Amino acid sequence: MLSGAIPGRKVLSALIAATPSTEAPAPAFLDFDGIEVATASFLREAVIGFRDYARQSLPNVYPVVANIVPAVAEELDFFVRARGDVIWSCDLDAKDQVVGARLIGDLDPAQRSTFDAVIELGAITAPELAARFADQRIGPTAWNNRLSALATKGLLVERKQGKSKSFSPLLGIA
């Protein structure tokens, strides 16, 4: 059982201390295997706190919640939806391979359509999305803003390609 803001902050401190910066983008799995209960205050401080820290200070580290039981997923979903937020979740098999990647929380309709397009198309730039969806009359700047917002949430990996940026999904949706 993981409960309370203070224990959550202690776990956050330990996660920050134990997580090195990486050269290449990589998921950081927060494995909840064996955890039956986690409160919203703990999840806020430890999980969302670490995700926010990593996205601001460790640009190639992408936290993912792994192996959570339905009760913990429900608590996390309730919390992130109330914030208008979302986070990756998955299961890990015996070889630590991702199984059943999914989002917890909800994206607004514009972000959802952008996320779905990147899932379908793979690595893509804002100008490429603008050209591909020209009928929607959304310019490259608006596409870039959407893509950057999804990268800030840790859903997409952002890579520099010359003067532009390419975005790709961190995980594949099951």
Side-chain angles (χ1 to χ4, degrees):
M1 180 172 175
L2 303 173
S3 176
I6 292 172
R9 283 188 212 114
K10 288 180 181 177
V11 169
L12 172 61
S13 294
L15 287 168
I16 290 170
T19 306
S21 183
T22 64
E23 299 251 346
F29 295 107
L30 305 176
D31 194 348
F32 276 70
D33 189 35
I35 304 299
E36 297 295 323
V37 176
T39 64
S41 58
F42 178 88
L43 295 167
R44 177 189 68 230
E45 298 299 324
V47 174
I48 300 304
F50 182 64
R51 190 275 316 264
D52 292 348
Y53 171 82
R55 299 308 315 127
Q56 291 174 9
S57 302
L58 301 168
N60 287 322
V61 175
Y62 293 82
V64 175
V65 178
N67 300 321
I68 58 174
V69 296
V72 175
E74 179 182 349
E75 192 75 13
L76 183 56
D77 184 64
F78 178 79
F79 176 73
V80 295
R81 281 181 190 272
R83 289 177 40 144
D85 203 353
V86 64
I87 190 167
W88 276 112
S89 177
C90 70
D91 294 317
L92 298 174
D93 67 14
K95 296 181 181 180
D96 286 334
Q97 298 298 310
V98 172
V99 179
R102 59 204 170 273
L103 298 180
I104 293 181
D106 200 20
L107 295 168
D108 70 43
Q111 288 181 340
R112 186 67 199 190
S113 66
T114 303
F115 179 78
D116 290 344
V118 177
I119 289 291
E120 178 184 332
L121 301 170
I124 197 154
T125 66
E128 291 168 341
L129 281 172
R132 184 166 181 98
F133 297 102
D135 61 320
Q136 293 184 19
R137 301 188 196 283
I138 301 170
T141 301
W143 282 112
N144 190 66
N145 291 343
R146 290 181 183 186
L147 292 164
S148 293
L150 293 169
T152 298
K153 292 178 184 290
L155 305 182
L156 300 180
V157 174
E158 182 178 340
R159 292 182 177 92
K160 291 188 180 186
Q161 280 187 316
K163 292 183 179 182
S164 65
K165 297 175 188 172
S166 171
F167 296 84
S168 59
L170 175 66
L171 303 174
I173 294 287

